[in-house]
Amino acid sequence: MAEEIIVAGWMDYEPSDRDPMLRHLVEVGQRTREEEPGCLDYAMAADPSDERRIRVFERWVSQQSLDEHFTTAHIKDFRAATSGLTRVGVSLKIFSVAASRSMR
């Protein structure tokens, strides 16, 4: 069985570009969750203490599912729609999950 993959971190945008980017992320997130069975979770959120920062959390059934995500039509559309927005920083990491358990 393949190890689950988690993508986590943050992206910073010019303050005037953060909210437009978030709107695009809401749309691409919805399509990703609906159309990609390998996506277990896809969430982006504005950091309330930093007007530039978007927090990122994604969970995938496998690295292959994540790789396939980047080839979808909705990601190509997302990239075209956001090409004019200015990202000024990024820190994203991919984690391979060997095991997990419920907290309760």
Side-chain angles (χ1 to χ4, degrees), residues 7 14 21 31 37-38 44 50 52-53 55 60 62 80 92:
V7 177
E14 288 292 336
M21 175 54 82
R31 289 190 62 191
M44 312 296 168
D50 187 334
R52 303 170 309 150
R53 186 148 295 173
R55 297 285 174 179
W60 298 88
S62 67
L92 295 173

Side-chain angles (χ1 to χ4, degrees), residues 2-7 38 40-41 57-66 93-97:
E3 292 179 332
E4 282 187 10
I5 299 296
I6 291 176
V7 177
L40 300 171
D41 199 356
F57 180 83
E58 303 174 27
R59 192 165 63 102
W60 298 88
V61 298
S62 67
Q63 181 64 50
Q64 180 179 348
S65 294
L66 176 59
K93 296 196 185 267
I94 297 175
F95 300 88
S96 298
V97 180

Side-chain angles (χ1 to χ4, degrees), residues 61-79:
V61 298
S62 67
Q63 181 64 50
Q64 180 179 348
S65 294
L66 176 59
D67 293 343
E68 290 170 358
H69 167 67
F70 293 114
T71 68
T72 62
H74 54 270
I75 286 298
K76 291 175 186 170
D77 293 345
F78 167 77
R79 287 180 174 159

Side-chain angles (χ1 to χ4, degrees), residues 3-19:
E3 292 179 332
E4 282 187 10
I5 299 296
I6 291 176
V7 177
W10 53 266
M11 301 180 294
D12 284 350
Y13 284 83
E14 288 292 336
S16 62
D17 287 344
R18 185 184 75 171
D19 287 345

